[in-house]
Amino acid sequence: MHKQNRSRFFITMSALIGAILFAIYIHITNGTFDMSVKDIFTTLLRMNPTNDFDLVIFEFRLPRIVIAALVGLGLGIAGTVVQGITRNGLADPGILGINAGAGASIVIFMFFFQMELAVSGSSNWLSIIIMPIFGFLGGLIAAILIYIFSWTNGKLDTQRLILSGIAISTGFGALSLYISLKMRESDFEMATVWMSGSIYNANWIFILAMIPWLLILVPIIYRKAYLLDYFQLEESSIKSLGIQVEKEKAILLLSSIGVISACVSVSGSIGFIGLIAPHIAKQLVGIHHRYVLPASAAIGMFLVIFSDYLAKTIFAPAEIPVGIIVAILGVPYFLYLLMKTKA
Amino acid sequence: MVTTVIRAERLTTKYEKFTVFSELSTSIKKGQITTIIGPNGCGKSTLLKTISRILKQQSGEVFLQEQDMKGISTKAIAKQLALLSQNPEAPLQLKVEELISYGRFPHRKNVGTLSSKDMEVIEWAMDITKTTAFRNREIAQLSGGQRQKVWLAMALAQETSILLLDEPTTYLDLAHQLEVLQIVERLNKEHHCTIVMVLHDINHAARFSDELIAMKNGEIITAGPPEKIIAKNVLKEVFNIDARIMVDPENGSPVCFGYDALPERE
Amino acid sequence: MKRLRKSPSVPFLIICASPFLIILTVALSILYGTKGIDASTIWQAIVHFDSTNVDHNIIMQSRLPRVLAALLVGAFLAISGAIMQGMTRNYLASPSIMGVTDGSAFVITICMIFFPAMSNIHMIMFSMIGSALGAGIVFGFGSIMRNGLSPVRLAIIGTVIGTFLSSLSSVLATHFQISQDLTFWYNAKIHKVDPDILLLALPIGLTGLVLALIISKSITILSLGDDISISLGQRTKWVKAISIIIVICLTGTAVALVGKIGFVGLIIPHITRFIVGIDYRFVIPCSAIIGGIFLALSDVASRFINFPFETPVGVVTALIGVPFFLYLIRTRGGERRA
């Protein structure tokens, strides 16, 4: 029985990795000017480097792909955890307002430190490194608010959870808009583009800012993933098994908020990935979270890379924020889920 | 000599602002089946949940084997005491055997694989509850009665000497009610399990219990053996019913064979 | 059993006091702004309008239309919300949550792309078509849902479809390079309201209001539930159809006037029911009054939050609305009755 699960998992993962490689391939070869695979390999392996190719690959396309991959991974993982903890298939960090909380806090940060820091790169790498910390604070505040408003009779009320999430994200959205209006014009434009979820101004410092968060938090989450299986039981049963429910949930939730903040601070708010990826993963590898978690991470990666490819090519040379592409792809799937799930 | 395994002292429990009971004290004797009875909303389930640390009491102490439960880690408690809650839920795609294996949580050190000891206990739990036949089915494919037995098996897999059951027979048909209660009785007789449960059916309570606790409005009205509790005056006070009681010639337990509601008293 | 209504004196008091309150609001709104204007100038502008006087022009061309627009839009949205909440017995129903405003904005986006020189009357018409589209999609999805439609589900579907429509709008806008116009347009352009549209909106709004008052008694009965409504001999389908038409007209006009403004349609009916009880004969007119005044005052506030710059009034209503929304969830999250 377990063996069967495991082989299904490995087959799925190989297929997903194939899909990711394919997405990377079309993303890296297409763009303002197309490149062949051979060009890319020769550039990557430093066989016949030319400045043009170096610039396009190392400064534009590669960082963008890496960020798309990391953001997808983070959101896929965080979505799985949030759905697992709340026992709610419709929960998603975006819908719950955690993204918006992190976003508002980062907009505040941008406002006080003037955007130039974040844009101009190397000389201000410090502020980019600090951004996720601010994001974390905002995400944390959102999560605390959600808990306060949906906590009744010693447990989280699922219906209230989503509603307060919607309310909180609207509130933080309004706050972000308000603050961004106080910014200088150029900053304002940056901020709006960033808020709707985009990664086309990617660079290596953003990646550097993200990596420590993922390196520390993802292993913690993965170690605790088996607990998510238990969390699918109802509260009394879990407690009666001797699981320190509140403590374990807090660790998992805080770690996810950290992951989300790291993602939001580089890409803005990209919704629906955290919702869709876990569902597809469960369809593919079953309900065990030790399998769901990596599968969901891989699906998230694929979705964001692929959506970003669409975002840059559909209306080229105009860029569409990737968050909007994801929303257009994600909403129909969300509605489909809503129709399928029982009340 | 009968010893006490659980002793509650001056417990007060609240739901939000509503106090369910205050300053409540009681004790549970080792190796016996104790059943809490009482009308809806009298605090039976809340009492059960409080003594199993599912709900936090506002004040007062619960002693497990004469040790204050606040000082024992929740995992250590789970090795001594298991609770089958009133309406348990699990993902519908979960396999029966996997769900039962969840009961091994407090005993497992590494999360990877089940030890041979774990497997042994799971087999035993399935054997006692007669769930072995559908071990590979998903929860979705089970009837209500089968599910309840699976949940009971999960609690048994915890390998505890104390088992708390919150309305284990609600929503079950007559045959399954009896089947579940007979499993409970067998656990008590053959495996010396201490049982505390909440039941609605007075006759079931009388037949299967050594000790009854009658509650009303958050207070324990009286406690004692069924012969003493299943009596006209007690039932009148607790349930506000006029009951006719006789003794079952088969097993000697008191049976309430008919009753009428008394006019509302305020 | 809830009392059907509180003492009818409360709603009458509100209705009788409303002219004074409205005049007061109008006066406040004209007096306070980036440029202060004193009361005597207003009087002068009304009795002896002088087209060379800058203040007079500000009053007649900008501030007066603006406050009138705010009053109308607030009233329209509040009535729409009240009708939707009564009709669907869903305490979360409101134009912005149910995708009605997003639908309207979506169709307007398309029109701005393909018919840039649209006349005002067409703009209002398309906006109504958009409202109908948004409402149609949301309720359509709601009705094919085989597992029933709880208030929360409907709210979630509405929010998500709203997101979808506004994402589509922004993709289209990016492609046709009208993003900037559109951002401007979406975020409540109450300070740039066009007096011509305002004149067109007035009769539509009044018709909607009168219709709403006519069917208000039926909505009270509908709010007791479909079964009761049918057994009382009410033609439920007719009432619902008329209600939907009213909502579409009023919301469509509101969006055409000032863009998307959230939360007014949600919170005002709640506040109104709290004050006047649950009889929709009183809820609807009082919602209109309270909604209009609320939005007009929010608009005044929006001039001062970030003085001397204007803040979109939608930000103000959201900042007031979100805590209220959370309070609603907190106090009656589990309740299903409207």
Coordinates of all heavy atoms in Angstrom, one line a residue, chain A residues 142-203:
Chain A
A142 N -1.7 40.5 9.7 CA -2.9 40.0 9.0 C -3.3 38.7 9.6 O -4.5 38.5 9.9 CB -2.6 39.9 7.5
A143 N -2.3 37.8 9.8 CA -2.7 36.5 10.4 C -3.3 36.6 11.7 O -4.3 36.0 12.1 CB -1.5 35.6 10.4
I144 N -2.8 37.5 12.6 CA -3.3 37.7 13.9 C -4.7 38.2 13.8 O -5.6 37.7 14.5 CB -2.4 38.6 14.7 CG1 -1.1 37.9 15.0 CG2 -3.1 39.1 16.0 CD1 0.0 38.8 15.7
L145 N -4.9 39.2 12.9 CA -6.3 39.8 12.8 C -7.3 38.7 12.4 O -8.4 38.6 12.9 CB -6.3 40.9 11.7 CG -5.7 42.2 12.2 CD1 -5.6 43.2 11.0 CD2 -6.6 42.8 13.3
I146 N -6.8 37.9 11.4 CA -7.7 36.8 10.9 C -8.1 35.9 12.1 O -9.2 35.5 12.3 CB -7.1 36.0 9.8 CG1 -6.9 36.9 8.6 CG2 -7.9 34.8 9.5 CD1 -6.0 36.4 7.5
Y147 N -7.1 35.5 12.9 CA -7.3 34.7 14.0 C -8.3 35.3 15.0 O -9.3 34.7 15.4 CB -6.0 34.3 14.8 CG -5.5 33.0 14.5 CD1 -4.7 32.7 13.3 CD2 -5.8 31.9 15.3 CE1 -4.2 31.5 13.0 CE2 -5.3 30.6 15.0 CZ -4.6 30.4 13.9 OH -4.1 29.2 13.6
I148 N -8.1 36.6 15.3 CA -9.0 37.2 16.2 C -10.4 37.2 15.7 O -11.3 36.9 16.5 CB -8.5 38.7 16.4 CG1 -7.2 38.7 17.2 CG2 -9.6 39.5 17.2 CD1 -6.6 40.1 17.3
F149 N -10.6 37.4 14.5 CA -11.9 37.6 14.0 C -12.6 36.3 13.7 O -13.8 36.2 13.6 CB -12.0 38.5 12.8 CG -11.9 39.9 13.1 CD1 -10.7 40.6 13.0 CD2 -13.0 40.5 13.7 CE1 -10.7 41.9 13.4 CE2 -12.9 41.9 14.1 CZ -11.7 42.6 14.0
S150 N -11.8 35.2 13.5 CA -12.5 34.0 13.1 C -12.4 32.9 14.2 O -12.8 31.8 14.0 CB -12.0 33.4 11.8 OG -10.6 33.5 11.7
W151 N -11.9 33.3 15.4 CA -11.7 32.4 16.5 C -13.0 32.4 17.3 O -13.3 33.4 18.0 CB -10.5 32.8 17.3 CG -10.2 31.8 18.3 CD1 -10.6 31.8 19.6 CD2 -9.3 30.7 18.2 NE1 -10.1 30.7 20.3 CE2 -9.2 30.0 19.4 CE3 -8.5 30.2 17.1 CZ2 -8.5 28.9 19.7 CZ3 -7.7 29.1 17.4 CH2 -7.7 28.4 18.6
T152 N -13.7 31.3 17.3 CA -14.9 31.3 18.2 C -15.0 29.9 18.9 O -14.6 28.9 18.3 CB -16.2 31.5 17.4 OG1 -16.1 30.8 16.2 CG2 -16.6 32.9 17.2
N153 N -15.4 30.0 20.1 CA -15.5 28.7 20.9 C -14.3 27.9 20.8 O -14.3 26.7 20.6 CB -16.7 27.9 20.5 CG -18.0 28.6 20.9 OD1 -18.0 29.3 21.9 ND2 -19.0 28.4 20.1
G154 N -13.1 28.5 20.9 CA -11.9 27.7 20.9 C -11.5 27.1 19.6 O -10.7 26.2 19.6
K155 N -12.1 27.5 18.5 CA -11.6 26.9 17.2 C -11.8 27.9 16.1 O -12.6 28.9 16.3 CB -12.3 25.6 16.9 CG -13.8 25.7 16.8 CD -14.3 24.4 16.3 CE -15.7 24.6 15.7 NZ -16.7 23.9 16.4
L156 N -11.1 27.7 15.0 CA -11.3 28.6 13.9 C -12.5 28.2 13.1 O -12.7 27.1 12.7 CB -10.1 28.4 12.9 CG -8.8 29.1 13.3 CD1 -7.7 28.8 12.2 CD2 -9.0 30.6 13.4
D157 N -13.4 29.2 12.9 CA -14.6 29.0 12.1 C -14.3 29.2 10.7 O -13.8 30.3 10.2 CB -15.6 30.0 12.6 CG -16.9 29.8 11.9 OD1 -17.0 30.2 10.7 OD2 -17.9 29.3 12.6
T158 N -14.5 28.2 9.9 CA -14.1 28.2 8.5 C -14.7 29.3 7.7 O -14.1 30.0 6.9 CB -14.4 26.9 7.8 OG1 -14.3 25.8 8.8 CG2 -13.5 26.6 6.7
Q159 N -16.0 29.5 7.9 CA -16.7 30.5 7.1 C -16.1 31.9 7.4 O -15.8 32.7 6.5 CB -18.2 30.5 7.4 CG -18.8 29.1 7.1 CD -20.2 29.3 6.7 OE1 -20.9 30.2 7.2 NE2 -20.7 28.4 5.9
R160 N -16.0 32.1 8.7 CA -15.5 33.4 9.1 C -14.1 33.6 8.6 O -13.7 34.8 8.3 CB -15.5 33.6 10.6 CG -16.9 33.7 11.2 CD -16.9 33.9 12.6 NE -18.2 33.8 13.2 CZ -18.5 34.1 14.4 NH1 -17.5 34.4 15.3 NH2 -19.7 34.0 14.9
L161 N -13.4 32.6 8.6 CA -12.0 32.6 8.2 C -11.8 33.3 6.8 O -11.1 34.3 6.6 CB -11.4 31.2 8.1 CG -9.9 31.1 8.0 CD1 -9.3 31.5 9.3 CD2 -9.5 29.7 7.6
I162 N -12.6 32.8 5.9 CA -12.5 33.3 4.5 C -13.0 34.7 4.4 O -12.5 35.6 3.8 CB -13.2 32.4 3.5 CG1 -12.5 31.0 3.6 CG2 -13.3 32.9 2.1 CD1 -12.8 30.2 2.4
L163 N -14.2 34.9 5.1 CA -14.7 36.3 5.1 C -13.8 37.3 5.7 O -13.6 38.4 5.1 CB -16.0 36.3 5.8 CG -17.2 35.8 5.1 CD1 -18.4 35.8 5.9 CD2 -17.4 36.6 3.8
S164 N -13.3 37.0 6.9 CA -12.4 38.0 7.4 C -11.2 38.2 6.6 O -10.7 39.3 6.5 CB -12.0 37.7 8.9 OG -12.3 36.4 9.2
G165 N -10.8 37.1 5.9 CA -9.7 37.2 5.0 C -10.0 38.2 3.9 O -9.2 39.1 3.6
I166 N -11.1 38.1 3.3 CA -11.5 39.0 2.2 C -11.5 40.4 2.7 O -11.0 41.3 2.1 CB -12.9 38.6 1.6 CG1 -12.8 37.3 0.9 CG2 -13.5 39.7 0.7 CD1 -14.2 36.7 0.4
A167 N -12.1 40.6 3.9 CA -12.2 41.9 4.5 C -10.8 42.5 4.7 O -10.5 43.6 4.4 CB -13.0 41.9 5.8
I168 N -10.0 41.6 5.3 CA -8.6 42.1 5.7 C -7.8 42.4 4.5 O -7.1 43.4 4.4 CB -7.9 41.1 6.6 CG1 -8.6 41.2 8.0 CG2 -6.5 41.3 6.7 CD1 -8.3 40.0 8.9
S169 N -7.9 41.6 3.4 CA -7.1 41.9 2.3 C -7.7 43.2 1.6 O -6.9 44.0 1.1 CB -7.0 40.8 1.3 OG -8.3 40.3 1.0
T170 N -9.0 43.4 1.6 CA -9.5 44.7 1.1 C -8.9 45.9 1.9 O -8.5 46.9 1.3 CB -11.0 44.7 1.1 OG1 -11.5 43.5 0.7 CG2 -11.6 45.8 0.2
G171 N -9.0 45.7 3.2 CA -8.5 46.8 4.0 C -7.0 47.1 3.8 O -6.7 48.3 3.6
F172 N -6.2 46.1 3.7 CA -4.8 46.3 3.5 C -4.6 46.8 2.1 O -3.7 47.6 1.8 CB -4.0 45.0 3.7 CG -3.6 44.8 5.1 CD1 -4.1 43.7 5.8 CD2 -2.8 45.7 5.8 CE1 -3.7 43.5 7.1 CE2 -2.5 45.5 7.1 CZ -2.9 44.4 7.8
G173 N -5.4 46.4 1.1 CA -5.3 46.9 -0.2 C -5.6 48.4 -0.3 O -4.8 49.1 -0.9
A174 N -6.6 48.8 0.5 CA -6.9 50.2 0.5 C -5.8 51.0 1.1 O -5.4 52.1 0.7 CB -8.2 50.4 1.3
L175 N -5.2 50.4 2.2 CA -4.1 51.1 2.9 C -2.9 51.2 1.9 O -2.3 52.3 1.8 CB -3.7 50.2 4.1 CG -2.6 50.8 5.0 CD1 -3.2 52.1 5.7 CD2 -2.2 49.8 6.0
S176 N -2.6 50.2 1.2 CA -1.5 50.2 0.2 C -1.8 51.3 -0.8 O -0.9 52.1 -1.2 CB -1.3 48.9 -0.5 OG -1.1 47.8 0.4
L177 N -3.0 51.3 -1.3 CA -3.4 52.3 -2.3 C -3.2 53.7 -1.8 O -2.6 54.6 -2.4 CB -4.8 52.1 -2.8 CG -5.3 53.1 -3.9 CD1 -4.5 52.9 -5.2 CD2 -6.8 52.8 -4.1
Y178 N -3.6 53.9 -0.6 CA -3.6 55.2 0.1 C -2.1 55.7 0.2 O -1.8 56.8 -0.2 CB -4.2 55.2 1.4 CG -4.0 56.4 2.3 CD1 -4.4 57.6 1.9 CD2 -3.3 56.3 3.5 CE1 -4.2 58.7 2.6 CE2 -3.0 57.4 4.2 CZ -3.5 58.6 3.8 OH -3.2 59.7 4.5
I179 N -1.3 54.7 0.7 CA 0.1 55.1 0.8 C 0.8 55.3 -0.5 O 1.6 56.3 -0.7 CB 0.9 54.1 1.7 CG1 0.3 54.1 3.1 CG2 2.3 54.3 1.7 CD1 0.7 53.0 4.0
S180 N 0.5 54.5 -1.5 CA 1.2 54.6 -2.7 C 0.8 55.9 -3.4 O 1.6 56.5 -4.2 CB 0.9 53.4 -3.6 OG -0.5 53.4 -3.9
L181 N -0.4 56.4 -3.1 CA -0.8 57.7 -3.7 C 0.0 58.9 -3.1 O 0.1 59.9 -3.7 CB -2.3 58.0 -3.4 CG -3.2 57.2 -4.3 CD1 -4.6 57.4 -3.8 CD2 -3.1 57.6 -5.7
K182 N 0.6 58.7 -1.9 CA 1.4 59.7 -1.3 C 2.8 59.7 -1.9 O 3.6 60.6 -1.6 CB 1.5 59.5 0.2 CG 0.1 59.8 0.9 CD 0.2 59.5 2.4 CE 0.8 60.6 3.1 NZ -0.1 61.2 4.0
M183 N 3.2 58.7 -2.6 CA 4.5 58.5 -3.1 C 4.7 59.5 -4.3 O 3.8 60.0 -4.9 CB 4.8 57.1 -3.6 CG 4.8 56.1 -2.5 SD 5.0 54.5 -3.3 CE 5.4 53.5 -1.9
R184 N 6.0 59.6 -4.7 CA 6.3 60.4 -5.9 C 5.8 59.5 -7.1 O 5.7 58.3 -7.0 CB 7.8 60.6 -6.0 CG 8.3 61.6 -5.0 CD 9.7 61.8 -5.2 NE 10.3 60.5 -5.6 CZ 11.6 60.2 -5.4 NH1 12.4 61.1 -4.9 NH2 12.0 59.0 -5.8
E185 N 5.7 60.2 -8.2 CA 5.0 59.6 -9.3 C 5.7 58.3 -9.8 O 5.1 57.3 -10.0 CB 4.9 60.6 -10.5 CG 3.6 60.3 -11.3 CD 3.2 61.6 -12.0 OE1 2.9 62.6 -11.3 OE2 3.2 61.6 -13.2
S186 N 7.1 58.4 -9.9 CA 7.8 57.3 -10.4 C 7.7 56.1 -9.4 O 7.5 55.0 -9.8 CB 9.3 57.7 -10.6 OG 9.8 58.1 -9.4
D187 N 7.8 56.4 -8.2 CA 7.6 55.4 -7.2 C 6.3 54.8 -7.2 O 6.1 53.6 -7.1 CB 7.9 55.9 -5.8 CG 9.3 56.3 -5.5 OD1 10.1 56.0 -6.4 OD2 9.6 57.0 -4.5
F188 N 5.3 55.6 -7.4 CA 3.9 55.2 -7.5 C 3.7 54.1 -8.5 O 3.1 53.1 -8.3 CB 2.9 56.3 -7.7 CG 1.6 55.9 -8.0 CD1 0.7 55.4 -7.0 CD2 1.0 56.0 -9.3 CE1 -0.5 55.0 -7.3 CE2 -0.3 55.7 -9.6 CZ -1.0 55.1 -8.6
E189 N 4.3 54.4 -9.7 CA 4.1 53.4 -10.8 C 4.8 52.1 -10.5 O 4.2 51.0 -10.6 CB 4.7 54.0 -12.1 CG 3.8 54.0 -13.2 CD 4.2 55.0 -14.3 OE1 5.0 54.7 -15.1 OE2 3.6 56.1 -14.2
M190 N 6.0 52.2 -9.9 CA 6.7 51.0 -9.5 C 5.8 50.2 -8.5 O 5.7 49.0 -8.6 CB 8.0 51.4 -8.7 CG 9.2 51.7 -9.5 SD 9.6 50.3 -10.6 CE 9.9 49.1 -9.3
A191 N 5.3 51.0 -7.5 CA 4.5 50.3 -6.5 C 3.3 49.6 -7.0 O 2.9 48.5 -6.7 CB 4.1 51.3 -5.4
T192 N 2.6 50.3 -8.0 CA 1.3 49.7 -8.5 C 1.7 48.4 -9.3 O 1.0 47.4 -9.2 CB 0.5 50.6 -9.4 OG1 1.4 51.6 -9.9 CG2 -0.6 51.2 -8.7
V193 N 2.7 48.5 -10.1 CA 3.1 47.3 -10.9 C 3.5 46.2 -9.9 O 3.0 45.1 -10.1 CB 4.3 47.7 -11.8 CG1 5.0 46.4 -12.3 CG2 3.9 48.5 -12.9
W194 N 4.2 46.6 -8.9 CA 4.7 45.5 -7.9 C 3.5 44.9 -7.2 O 3.4 43.7 -7.0 CB 5.6 46.2 -7.0 CG 6.0 45.3 -5.9 CD1 7.0 44.4 -5.9 CD2 5.4 45.3 -4.6 NE1 7.1 43.7 -4.7 CE2 6.1 44.3 -3.9 CE3 4.4 46.0 -4.0 CZ2 5.8 44.0 -2.6 CZ3 4.1 45.7 -2.7 CH2 4.8 44.7 -2.0
M195 N 2.5 45.8 -6.8 CA 1.4 45.3 -6.0 C 0.5 44.3 -6.8 O 0.0 43.4 -6.2 CB 0.5 46.4 -5.6 CG 1.0 47.1 -4.3 SD -0.2 48.2 -3.6 CE -0.2 49.5 -4.8
S196 N 0.4 44.5 -8.1 CA -0.4 43.5 -8.9 C 0.3 42.3 -9.2 O -0.1 41.4 -9.9 CB -1.0 44.2 -10.1 OG 0.0 44.8 -10.8
G197 N 1.5 42.1 -8.7 CA 2.2 40.9 -8.8 C 3.0 40.8 -10.1 O 2.5 40.3 -11.1
S198 N 4.3 41.1 -10.0 CA 5.1 41.0 -11.2 C 6.5 40.8 -10.9 O 7.0 41.1 -9.8 CB 5.0 42.3 -12.0 OG 5.5 43.4 -11.2
I199 N 7.2 40.2 -11.8 CA 8.6 39.9 -11.5 C 9.5 40.3 -12.6 O 10.7 39.9 -12.7 CB 8.8 38.3 -11.3 CG1 8.2 37.5 -12.4 CG2 8.2 38.0 -9.9 CD1 8.3 36.1 -12.2
Y200 N 9.1 41.2 -13.5 CA 10.0 41.5 -14.6 C 11.1 42.5 -14.3 O 12.0 42.7 -15.1 CB 9.2 42.0 -15.9 CG 8.2 43.1 -15.7 CD1 8.6 44.4 -15.6 CD2 6.8 42.8 -15.7 CE1 7.7 45.4 -15.5 CE2 5.9 43.8 -15.6 CZ 6.3 45.1 -15.4 OH 5.4 46.1 -15.3
N201 N 11.1 43.0 -13.1 CA 12.3 43.8 -12.7 C 13.2 42.9 -11.8 O 13.9 43.4 -10.9 CB 11.9 45.1 -12.0 CG 10.9 44.9 -10.9 OD1 10.5 43.7 -10.7 ND2 10.5 45.9 -10.2
A202 N 13.2 41.6 -12.1 CA 14.0 40.7 -11.2 C 15.5 41.0 -11.3 O 16.0 41.4 -12.4 CB 13.7 39.3 -11.7
N203 N 16.2 40.8 -10.2 CA 17.6 40.8 -10.3 C 18.2 39.9 -9.2 O 17.4 39.4 -8.3 CB 18.2 42.2 -10.3 CG 18.0 42.8 -8.9 OD1 18.2 42.2 -7.9 ND2 17.5 44.1 -8.9

